Coordinates of all heavy atoms in Angstrom, one line a residue:
M227 N 48.9 150.7 242.8 CA 47.7 150.7 242.0 C 46.6 151.4 242.7 O 45.5 151.0 242.7 CB 47.3 149.3 241.8 CG 48.1 148.5 240.9 SD 47.1 147.3 240.0 CE 48.2 146.7 238.9
P228 N 46.9 152.6 243.3 CA 45.8 153.3 244.0 C 44.8 153.9 242.9 O 43.7 154.1 243.2 CB 46.5 154.4 244.8 CG 47.9 154.4 244.4 CD 48.2 153.1 243.6
W229 N 45.3 154.2 241.7 CA 44.4 154.7 240.7 C 43.3 153.7 240.3 O 42.2 154.1 239.9 CB 45.3 155.2 239.5 CG 46.0 154.0 238.8 CD1 47.3 153.6 239.1 CD2 45.6 153.1 237.8 NE1 47.6 152.6 238.4 CE2 46.6 152.2 237.6 CE3 44.4 153.0 237.1 CZ2 46.5 151.2 236.6 CZ3 44.3 152.0 236.2 CH2 45.3 151.1 235.9
L230 N 43.6 152.4 240.4 CA 42.6 151.4 240.1 C 41.5 151.5 241.1 O 40.3 151.4 240.8 CB 43.3 150.1 240.0 CG 42.3 148.9 239.5 CD1 41.8 149.2 238.2 CD2 43.1 147.6 239.5
M231 N 41.9 151.6 242.4 CA 40.9 151.7 243.4 C 40.0 152.9 243.3 O 38.8 152.9 243.5 CB 41.5 151.6 244.8 CG 42.1 150.3 245.1 SD 43.1 150.1 246.6 CE 42.2 151.1 247.8
I232 N 40.7 154.0 242.9 CA 39.9 155.3 242.7 C 39.0 155.2 241.6 O 37.8 155.6 241.6 CB 40.9 156.5 242.6 CG1 41.7 156.7 243.9 CG2 40.2 157.7 242.1 CD1 42.8 157.7 243.8
L233 N 39.4 154.5 240.5 CA 38.6 154.3 239.3 C 37.4 153.4 239.7 O 36.3 153.8 239.3 CB 39.4 153.7 238.2 CG 38.7 153.4 236.9 CD1 38.3 154.7 236.2 CD2 39.5 152.6 236.0
V234 N 37.6 152.4 240.4 CA 36.5 151.5 240.8 C 35.5 152.3 241.7 O 34.3 152.2 241.6 CB 37.0 150.3 241.5 CG1 35.9 149.5 242.2 CG2 37.7 149.4 240.5
L235 N 36.0 153.1 242.6 CA 35.2 153.9 243.5 C 34.3 154.9 242.7 O 33.1 155.1 242.9 CB 36.0 154.6 244.6 CG 35.3 155.5 245.5 CD1 34.3 154.7 246.4 CD2 36.2 156.3 246.4
V236 N 35.0 155.6 241.8 CA 34.3 156.6 240.9 C 33.2 155.8 240.1 O 32.1 156.3 240.0 CB 35.2 157.3 240.0 CG1 34.5 158.1 239.0 CG2 36.1 158.3 240.9
L237 N 33.5 154.7 239.6 CA 32.5 153.9 238.8 C 31.4 153.5 239.6 O 30.2 153.6 239.2 CB 33.2 152.7 238.1 CG 32.4 151.9 237.2 CD1 31.9 152.7 236.0 CD2 33.1 150.7 236.7
A238 N 31.6 153.0 240.9 CA 30.6 152.6 241.8 C 29.7 153.8 242.1 O 28.4 153.7 242.1 CB 31.1 152.0 243.0
L239 N 30.3 155.0 242.4 CA 29.5 156.2 242.7 C 28.7 156.6 241.5 O 27.5 157.0 241.6 CB 30.4 157.3 243.2 CG 31.0 157.1 244.5 CD1 32.0 158.2 244.8 CD2 29.9 157.1 245.6
L240 N 29.2 156.5 240.3 CA 28.5 156.9 239.1 C 27.3 156.0 238.9 O 26.2 156.5 238.6 CB 29.5 156.9 237.9 CG 28.9 157.3 236.6 CD1 28.6 158.8 236.6 CD2 29.9 157.0 235.5
L241 N 27.5 154.7 239.0 CA 26.4 153.8 238.8 C 25.4 153.9 239.9 O 24.2 153.8 239.6 CB 26.9 152.3 238.8 CG 27.8 152.0 237.6 CD1 28.3 150.6 237.7 CD2 27.0 152.1 236.3
F242 N 25.8 154.2 241.1 CA 24.8 154.4 242.2 C 24.0 155.7 241.9 O 22.8 155.7 242.0 CB 25.5 154.6 243.5 CG 24.6 155.0 244.6 CD1 23.7 154.1 245.2 CD2 24.6 156.3 245.1 CE1 22.9 154.5 246.2 CE2 23.7 156.7 246.1 CZ 22.9 155.8 246.7
G243 N 24.6 156.8 241.4 CA 23.9 158.0 241.0 C 23.0 157.8 239.9 O 21.8 158.3 239.9
I244 N 23.4 157.0 238.9 CA 22.5 156.8 237.8 C 21.3 155.9 238.2 O 20.1 156.2 237.9 CB 23.2 156.0 236.6 CG1 24.2 157.0 236.0 CG2 22.3 155.5 235.6 CD1 25.1 156.3 235.0
G245 N 21.5 154.9 239.1 CA 20.4 154.1 239.6 C 19.4 155.0 240.4 O 18.2 154.8 240.3
F246 N 20.0 155.9 241.3 CA 19.1 156.7 242.1 C 18.3 157.7 241.2 O 17.1 157.9 241.4 CB 20.0 157.5 243.1 CG 19.2 158.4 244.0 CD1 18.5 157.8 245.1 CD2 19.2 159.8 243.8 CE1 17.8 158.6 245.9 CE2 18.5 160.5 244.7 CZ 17.8 160.0 245.8
A247 N 18.9 158.2 240.2 CA 18.2 159.1 239.3 C 17.1 158.4 238.5 O 16.0 158.9 238.4 CB 19.2 159.8 238.3
L248 N 17.4 157.2 238.1 CA 16.3 156.4 237.4 C 15.2 156.1 238.3 O 14.0 156.1 237.9 CB 16.9 155.1 236.8 CG 17.8 155.3 235.6 CD1 18.4 154.0 235.1 CD2 17.0 156.0 234.5
K249 N 15.5 155.8 239.6 CA 14.4 155.5 240.6 C 13.6 156.8 240.8 O 12.3 156.7 240.8 CB 15.0 155.0 241.9 CG 13.9 154.7 242.9 CD 14.5 154.0 244.1 CE 13.5 153.8 245.2 NZ 12.2 153.1 244.8
I250 N 14.2 157.9 240.9 CA 13.5 159.2 241.1 C 12.6 159.4 239.8 O 11.4 159.9 239.9 CB 14.4 160.3 241.3 CG1 15.1 160.2 242.7 CG2 13.8 161.7 241.2 CD1 14.1 160.2 243.8
L251 N 13.1 159.2 238.6 CA 12.3 159.4 237.4 C 11.1 158.5 237.4 O 10.1 158.9 236.9 CB 13.2 159.2 236.2 CG 14.2 160.3 235.9 CD1 15.1 159.9 234.7 CD2 13.5 161.6 235.7
W252 N 11.3 157.2 237.8 CA 10.1 156.3 237.9 C 9.1 156.8 238.9 O 7.9 156.8 238.6 CB 10.5 154.9 238.3 CG 11.0 154.1 237.1 CD1 12.3 153.7 236.9 CD2 10.2 153.5 236.1 NE1 12.3 153.0 235.7 CE2 11.0 152.8 235.2 CE3 8.8 153.6 235.8 CZ2 10.6 152.2 234.1 CZ3 8.4 153.0 234.7 CH2 9.2 152.3 233.8
V253 N 9.5 157.4 240.0 CA 8.5 157.9 241.0 C 7.8 159.1 240.4 O 6.6 159.3 240.5 CB 9.3 158.3 242.3 CG1 8.4 159.1 243.2 CG2 9.8 157.0 243.0
V254 N 8.6 160.0 239.7 CA 8.0 161.2 239.1 C 7.0 160.8 238.0 O 5.9 161.3 237.9 CB 9.1 162.1 238.5 CG1 8.5 163.2 237.6 CG2 9.9 162.7 239.6
A255 N 7.3 159.8 237.2 CA 6.4 159.3 236.1 C 5.1 158.7 236.8 O 4.1 158.9 236.2 CB 7.1 158.2 235.3
A256 N 5.3 158.0 237.9 CA 4.1 157.4 238.5 C 3.2 158.5 239.1 O 1.9 158.5 238.9 CB 4.5 156.5 239.6
V257 N 3.8 159.6 239.6 CA 3.0 160.7 240.2 C 2.3 161.4 239.0 O 1.1 161.7 239.1 CB 3.9 161.7 241.0 CG1 3.2 163.0 241.3 CG2 4.3 161.0 242.2
V258 N 3.0 161.6 237.9 CA 2.3 162.3 236.8 C 1.2 161.5 236.2 O 0.1 162.0 235.8 CB 3.4 162.6 235.7 CG1 2.8 163.0 234.4 CG2 4.4 163.7 236.2
L259 N 1.4 160.2 236.2 CA 0.3 159.3 235.7 C -0.9 159.4 236.6 O -2.0 159.4 236.1 CB 0.8 157.8 235.6 CG -0.2 156.8 235.2 CD1 -0.7 157.0 233.8 CD2 0.4 155.4 235.3
V260 N -0.7 159.3 237.9 CA -1.8 159.4 238.8 C -2.5 160.8 238.7 O -3.8 160.8 238.6 CB -1.4 159.2 240.3 CG1 -2.4 159.6 241.3 CG2 -0.9 157.8 240.5
L261 N -1.8 161.9 238.6 CA -2.4 163.2 238.4 C -3.2 163.2 237.1 O -4.3 163.8 237.0 CB -1.4 164.3 238.4 CG -0.8 164.5 239.8 CD1 0.4 165.6 239.7 CD2 -1.8 165.0 240.8
W262 N -2.6 162.6 236.0 CA -3.3 162.6 234.7 C -4.6 161.9 234.8 O -5.6 162.3 234.3 CB -2.4 162.1 233.6 CG -3.0 162.0 232.3 CD1 -3.2 163.0 231.4 CD2 -3.6 160.9 231.7 NE1 -3.9 162.6 230.3 CE2 -4.1 161.3 230.4 CE3 -3.7 159.5 232.0 CZ2 -4.7 160.4 229.5 CZ3 -4.3 158.6 231.2 CH2 -4.8 159.1 229.9
L263 N -4.6 160.7 235.5 CA -5.8 159.9 235.6 C -6.8 160.6 236.5 O -8.0 160.6 236.1 CB -5.5 158.5 236.2 CG -4.7 157.6 235.3 CD1 -4.3 156.3 236.1 CD2 -5.5 157.2 234.1
V264 N -6.4 161.3 237.5 CA -7.4 162.1 238.3 C -8.0 163.2 237.5 O -9.2 163.4 237.6 CB -6.7 162.6 239.6 CG1 -7.5 163.7 240.3 CG2 -6.4 161.5 240.6
G265 N -7.2 163.9 236.7 CA -7.7 164.9 235.8 C -8.6 164.4 234.8 O -9.6 165.0 234.4
F266 N -8.4 163.2 234.3 CA -9.2 162.6 233.3 C -10.6 162.2 233.9 O -11.6 162.4 233.3 CB -8.6 161.3 232.8 CG -9.4 160.6 231.7 CD1 -9.5 161.2 230.4 CD2 -10.0 159.4 232.0 CE1 -10.2 160.5 229.4 CE2 -10.7 158.8 231.0 CZ -10.8 159.3 229.7
V267 N -10.6 161.7 235.1 CA -11.8 161.3 235.8 C -12.6 162.5 236.3 O -13.8 162.5 236.2 CB -11.5 160.3 236.9 CG1 -12.8 160.0 237.7 CG2 -11.0 159.0 236.3
A268 N -11.9 163.4 236.9 CA -12.6 164.5 237.6 C -12.6 165.8 236.8 O -12.5 166.9 237.4 CB -11.9 164.8 238.9
R269 N -12.7 165.7 235.5 CA -12.8 166.9 234.7 C -14.1 167.7 234.9 O -15.1 167.1 235.2 CB -12.5 166.6 233.2 CG -13.5 165.7 232.7 CD -13.2 165.3 231.3 NE -14.2 164.3 230.9 CZ -14.0 163.3 230.0 NH1 -12.8 163.2 229.5 NH2 -15.0 162.5 229.7
S270 N -14.0 169.0 234.8 CA -15.2 169.8 235.0 C -16.1 169.9 233.8 O -15.7 169.6 232.7 CB -14.8 171.2 235.5 OG -14.1 171.8 234.4
N271 N -17.3 170.3 234.1 CA -18.3 170.5 233.0 C -18.0 171.9 232.3 O -17.7 172.8 233.0 CB -19.7 170.5 233.5 CG -20.1 169.1 234.0 OD1 -19.6 168.1 233.5 ND2 -21.1 169.0 234.9
G272 N -18.3 171.9 231.0 CA -18.1 173.2 230.3 C -19.3 174.1 230.5 O -20.2 173.8 231.2
P273 N -19.3 175.2 229.8 CA -20.4 176.2 229.9 C -21.7 175.6 229.4 O -22.8 176.0 229.9 CB -19.9 177.3 229.0 CG -18.5 177.1 228.7 CD -18.2 175.7 229.0
S274 N -21.7 174.7 228.5 CA -22.9 174.1 228.0 C -23.4 172.9 228.8 O -24.4 172.3 228.4 CB -22.7 173.7 226.5 OG -21.7 172.7 226.5
G275 N -22.7 172.6 229.9 CA -23.1 171.5 230.7 C -22.5 170.2 230.3 O -22.7 169.2 231.0
R276 N -21.8 170.2 229.2 CA -21.2 168.9 228.7 C -19.7 168.8 229.3 O -19.1 169.8 229.6 CB -21.1 168.9 227.2 CG -22.5 168.8 226.5 CD -22.4 168.8 225.0 NE -21.4 167.8 224.6 CZ -20.8 167.8 223.4 NH1 -21.1 168.8 222.5 NH2 -20.0 166.9 223.1
R277 N -19.3 167.6 229.3 CA -17.9 167.4 229.7 C -16.9 168.0 228.7 O -17.1 167.9 227.5 CB -17.6 165.9 229.9 CG -18.3 165.3 231.0 CD -17.4 165.2 232.2 NE -18.0 164.4 233.2 CZ -17.5 164.3 234.4 NH1 -16.3 164.8 234.6 NH2 -18.1 163.6 235.3
G278 N -15.9 168.7 229.2 CA -14.9 169.2 228.3 C -13.9 168.2 227.8 O -14.0 167.0 228.2
R279 N -13.0 168.6 226.9 CA -12.0 167.7 226.4 C -11.1 167.4 227.6 O -10.8 168.1 228.4 CB -11.2 168.3 225.3 CG -12.1 168.6 224.1 CD -11.2 169.1 223.0 NE -10.2 170.1 223.4 CZ -10.2 171.4 223.0 NH1 -11.1 171.8 222.1 NH2 -9.4 172.3 223.4
W280 N -10.5 166.2 227.5 CA -9.6 165.8 228.6 C -8.1 166.2 228.2 O -7.2 166.0 229.0 CB -9.6 164.3 228.8 CG -9.3 163.4 227.7 CD1 -10.1 163.0 226.7 CD2 -8.0 162.9 227.3 NE1 -9.5 162.3 225.8 CE2 -8.2 162.2 226.1 CE3 -6.7 163.0 227.9 CZ2 -7.1 161.5 225.5 CZ3 -5.7 162.3 227.3 CH2 -5.9 161.6 226.1
Y281 N -8.0 166.8 227.1 CA -6.6 167.3 226.7 C -6.7 168.8 226.5 O -7.8 169.3 226.3 CB -6.1 166.5 225.5 CG -7.1 166.6 224.3 CD1 -7.0 167.6 223.4 CD2 -8.0 165.6 224.1 CE1 -7.9 167.6 222.3 CE2 -8.9 165.6 223.1 CZ -8.8 166.6 222.2 OH -9.7 166.7 221.2
R282 N -5.6 169.4 226.5 CA -5.5 170.9 226.3 C -5.3 171.4 224.9 O -5.7 172.5 224.6 CB -4.3 171.4 227.2 CG -4.5 171.2 228.6 CD -5.2 172.4 229.2 NE -5.3 172.3 230.6 CZ -6.2 173.0 231.3 NH1 -7.0 173.8 230.7 NH2 -6.2 172.9 232.6
W283 N -4.8 170.6 224.0 CA -4.5 171.1 222.7 C -5.6 170.9 221.7 O -6.5 170.2 221.9 CB -3.2 170.5 222.2 CG -3.1 169.0 222.1 CD1 -3.6 168.3 221.1 CD2 -2.7 168.1 223.2 NE1 -3.4 166.9 221.4 CE2 -2.9 166.8 222.7 CE3 -2.2 168.3 224.4 CZ2 -2.6 165.7 223.4 CZ3 -1.9 167.2 225.1 CH2 -2.1 165.9 224.6

């Protein structure tokens, strides 16, 4: 039954990879949130001296 051990090993590696990818995605989401909040707070004044929109579109 070596194929069963190989299957379990592949499944464990796959689940570890998925867990690692999800952790990285959470970190990326947190960094993007912090950058968005900093951009929201520290937005520059427009030509008329008023605060510009906090969004681009």
Side-chain angles (χ1 to χ4, degrees):
M227 293 211 172
W229 58 271
L230 184 60
M231 288 174 39
I232 293 173
L233 181 66
V234 169
L235 180 63
V236 168
L237 184 62
L239 288 173
L240 182 68
L241 291 176
F242 173 76
I244 290 172
F246 184 73
L248 287 177
K249 180 167 175 55
I250 292 295
L251 286 176
W252 274 109
V253 170
V254 169
V257 168
V258 168
L259 176 66
V260 167
L261 289 175
W262 179 77
L263 288 173
V264 167
F266 181 73
V267 171
R269 58 186 178 209
S270 62
N271 292 336
S274 63
R276 293 180 49 199
R277 291 263 186 182
R279 296 188 311 245
W280 61 273
Y281 54 88
R282 292 269 184 201
W283 58 87

